[in-house]
Coordinates of all heavy atoms in Angstrom, one line a residue:
I484 N 314.2 86.3 8.5 CA 315.2 86.5 7.6 C 315.8 87.9 7.6 O 315.6 88.7 6.7 CB 314.8 86.2 6.1 CG1 313.5 87.0 5.7 CG2 314.6 84.7 6.0 CD1 313.2 86.8 4.1
P485 N 316.4 88.2 8.8 CA 316.9 89.7 9.0 C 317.8 90.0 7.8 O 318.7 89.3 7.4 CB 317.5 89.7 10.3 CG 317.8 88.2 10.7 CD 316.7 87.4 9.9
M486 N 317.7 91.3 7.4 CA 318.7 91.9 6.4 C 318.4 91.3 5.1 O 319.4 91.4 4.2 CB 320.0 92.0 6.9 CG 320.3 92.7 8.1 SD 319.4 94.3 8.3 CE 320.0 95.2 6.8
V487 N 317.3 90.8 4.7 CA 316.9 90.5 3.4 C 315.6 91.0 2.9 O 314.6 90.4 2.9 CB 316.8 88.8 3.2 CG1 316.6 88.5 1.7 CG2 318.1 88.1 3.8
H488 N 315.7 92.3 2.8 CA 316.8 93.2 2.8 C 316.7 94.4 3.9 O 317.4 95.3 4.0 CB 317.0 93.9 1.5 CG 315.7 94.7 1.0 ND1 315.8 96.0 0.7 CD2 314.5 94.2 0.9 CE1 314.6 96.3 0.3 NE2 313.7 95.2 0.5
W489 N 315.7 94.3 4.7 CA 315.4 95.0 5.9 C 315.6 94.2 7.2 O 315.8 92.9 7.0 CB 314.0 95.6 5.9 CG 313.8 96.8 5.1 CD1 314.5 97.3 4.0 CD2 312.8 97.7 5.2 NE1 314.0 98.3 3.5 CE2 312.9 98.7 4.2 CE3 311.7 97.9 6.1 CZ2 312.2 99.9 4.1 CZ3 310.8 99.0 6.0 CH2 311.0 100.0 5.0
P490 N 315.7 94.8 8.3 CA 316.0 93.9 9.6 C 314.8 93.1 10.0 O 315.1 92.1 10.7 CB 316.2 95.1 10.6 CG 316.5 96.4 10.0 CD 315.6 96.2 8.6
E491 N 313.5 93.4 9.5 CA 312.4 92.7 10.2 C 311.7 91.5 9.4 O 310.9 91.0 9.9 CB 311.2 93.8 10.5 CG 310.3 94.1 9.4 CD 310.7 94.3 8.0 OE1 311.9 94.7 7.8 OE2 309.8 94.4 7.1
P492 N 312.0 91.3 8.2 CA 311.2 90.3 7.4 C 311.3 88.9 7.9 O 312.2 88.5 8.6 CB 311.9 90.3 5.9 CG 312.7 91.6 5.8 CD 313.1 91.8 7.3
M493 N 310.2 88.1 7.5 CA 310.2 86.7 7.8 C 309.6 86.1 6.5 O 309.2 86.7 5.7 CB 309.3 86.3 9.0 CG 307.8 86.8 8.7 SD 306.8 86.3 10.2 CE 305.2 86.7 9.5
V494 N 309.8 84.8 6.5 CA 309.0 84.1 5.4 C 308.2 83.1 6.1 O 308.3 82.7 7.2 CB 310.1 83.2 4.5 CG1 311.0 84.2 3.6 CG2 311.0 82.3 5.4
T495 N 307.0 82.8 5.4 CA 306.1 81.8 5.9 C 305.8 80.6 5.2 O 305.8 80.7 3.9 CB 304.7 82.5 6.2 OG1 304.9 83.8 6.8 CG2 303.7 81.7 6.6
L496 N 306.2 79.5 5.6 CA 306.2 78.1 4.9 C 304.9 77.4 5.3 O 304.5 77.1 6.5 CB 307.4 77.3 5.2 CG 307.4 75.8 4.6 CD1 307.4 76.0 3.1 CD2 308.4 75.0 5.1
D497 N 304.1 77.1 4.3 CA 302.9 76.3 4.4 C 303.4 74.8 4.3 O 303.7 74.2 3.2 CB 301.9 76.4 3.3 CG 300.7 75.7 3.5 OD1 300.7 74.6 4.2 OD2 299.7 76.0 3.0
T498 N 303.6 74.2 5.4 CA 304.2 72.8 5.6 C 303.3 71.8 5.0 O 303.7 70.6 4.8 CB 304.7 72.5 6.9 OG1 303.5 72.5 7.8 CG2 305.7 73.4 7.4
T499 N 302.0 72.2 4.7 CA 301.1 71.2 4.2 C 301.3 71.0 2.7 O 301.2 69.9 2.2 CB 299.6 71.7 4.4 OG1 299.5 71.9 5.9 CG2 298.7 70.6 4.0
N500 N 301.6 72.0 2.0 CA 301.7 71.9 0.5 C 303.1 72.4 0.0 O 303.3 72.5 -1.2 CB 300.5 72.6 -0.1 CG 300.5 74.0 0.1 OD1 301.4 74.7 0.7 ND2 299.4 74.7 -0.2
G501 N 304.0 72.9 0.9 CA 305.2 73.3 0.4 C 305.3 74.8 -0.2 O 306.3 75.1 -0.8
V502 N 304.2 75.6 0.0 CA 304.3 76.9 -0.5 C 305.0 77.8 0.5 O 304.8 77.8 1.7 CB 302.8 77.5 -0.6 CG1 302.9 78.9 -0.9 CG2 302.1 76.7 -1.8
L503 N 306.1 78.6 0.0 CA 306.8 79.5 0.8 C 306.5 81.0 0.3 O 306.6 81.3 -0.9 CB 308.3 79.3 0.5 CG 309.2 80.2 1.4 CD1 309.2 79.8 2.9 CD2 310.6 80.2 0.9
F504 N 306.0 81.7 1.2 CA 305.7 83.1 1.0 C 307.0 83.9 1.5 O 307.4 83.9 2.5 CB 304.5 83.6 1.9 CG 303.2 82.9 1.6 CD1 302.8 81.8 2.3 CD2 302.4 83.3 0.5 CE1 301.7 81.1 2.1 CE2 301.2 82.7 0.2 CZ 300.9 81.4 1.0
S505 N 307.8 84.2 0.4 CA 309.2 84.5 0.5 C 309.5 85.9 0.7 O 310.7 86.3 0.5 CB 309.9 83.8 -0.7 OG 309.5 84.4 -1.9
A506 N 308.6 86.7 1.0 CA 308.8 88.2 1.1 C 309.5 88.8 -0.2 O 309.1 88.5 -1.3 CB 309.7 88.5 2.3
D507 N 310.5 89.6 0.0 CA 311.2 90.1 -1.2 C 312.1 89.2 -1.8 O 312.7 89.6 -2.9 CB 311.9 91.5 -0.9 CG 311.0 92.6 -1.1 OD1 309.9 92.6 -1.7 OD2 311.4 93.8 -0.6
A508 N 312.4 88.1 -1.3 CA 313.3 87.0 -1.9 C 312.8 86.5 -3.2 O 311.6 86.3 -3.1 CB 313.7 86.0 -0.8
F509 N 313.4 86.3 -4.2 CA 313.0 85.7 -5.4 C 312.0 86.6 -6.2 O 311.3 86.2 -7.0 CB 312.5 84.2 -5.3 CG 313.3 83.4 -4.3 CD1 312.9 83.1 -3.0 CD2 314.5 83.0 -4.9 CE1 313.7 82.3 -2.2 CE2 315.4 82.2 -3.9 CZ 314.9 81.9 -2.6
G510 N 312.2 87.9 -5.9 CA 311.3 88.8 -6.6 C 311.9 89.3 -8.0 O 313.0 89.1 -8.2
S511 N 311.1 90.3 -8.6 CA 311.6 90.8 -9.7 C 310.9 92.0 -10.2 O 309.7 92.2 -9.8 CB 311.4 89.7 -11.0 OG 311.7 90.2 -12.3
F512 N 311.6 92.9 -10.8 CA 310.8 94.0 -11.5 C 309.9 93.4 -12.7 O 310.1 92.2 -13.0 CB 311.7 95.0 -12.2 CG 312.6 95.8 -11.1 CD1 313.9 96.0 -11.3 CD2 311.9 96.3 -10.0 CE1 314.7 96.8 -10.4 CE2 312.6 97.2 -9.1 CZ 314.0 97.3 -9.2
K513 N 309.1 94.1 -13.2 CA 308.1 93.8 -14.4 C 306.8 93.3 -13.8 O 306.8 92.5 -12.9 CB 308.8 92.8 -15.2 CG 308.1 92.7 -16.6 CD 309.0 91.7 -17.5 CE 308.3 91.4 -18.8 NZ 309.1 90.7 -19.8
A514 N 305.8 93.9 -14.4 CA 304.3 93.5 -14.2 C 304.1 92.2 -14.8 O 304.6 91.8 -15.7 CB 303.4 94.5 -14.7
L515 N 303.1 91.5 -14.0 CA 302.9 90.1 -14.5 C 301.9 90.1 -15.7 O 302.1 89.2 -16.6 CB 302.3 89.3 -13.4 CG 303.1 89.0 -12.1 CD1 302.2 88.6 -11.0 CD2 304.2 88.0 -12.5
D516 N 301.0 90.9 -15.7 CA 300.1 91.0 -16.8 C 299.4 89.7 -17.3 O 299.4 89.4 -18.3 CB 300.7 91.7 -18.0 CG 301.2 93.1 -17.8 OD1 300.7 93.7 -16.7 OD2 302.0 93.6 -18.3
G517 N 298.9 89.0 -16.3 CA 298.1 87.8 -16.5 C 298.9 86.5 -16.4 O 298.5 85.5 -16.2

């Protein structure tokens, strides 16, 4: 996924269960705190 938001990122999809490791896409500021 070039330029989201650096030239080098990729995403990794687990096709077995549909989990997408989406790099900086769909992220947010703020700590999770549990």
Side-chain angles (χ1 to χ4, degrees):
I484 55 168
M486 300 319 301
V487 184
H488 57 121
W489 277 24
E491 96 299 350
M493 66 180 185
V494 295
T495 303
L496 176 66
D497 187 337
T498 59
T499 305
N500 59 13
V502 171
L503 181 72
F504 301 94
S505 61
D507 267 346
F509 311 112
S511 177
F512 293 138
K513 191 169 177 177
L515 295 169
D516 297 339

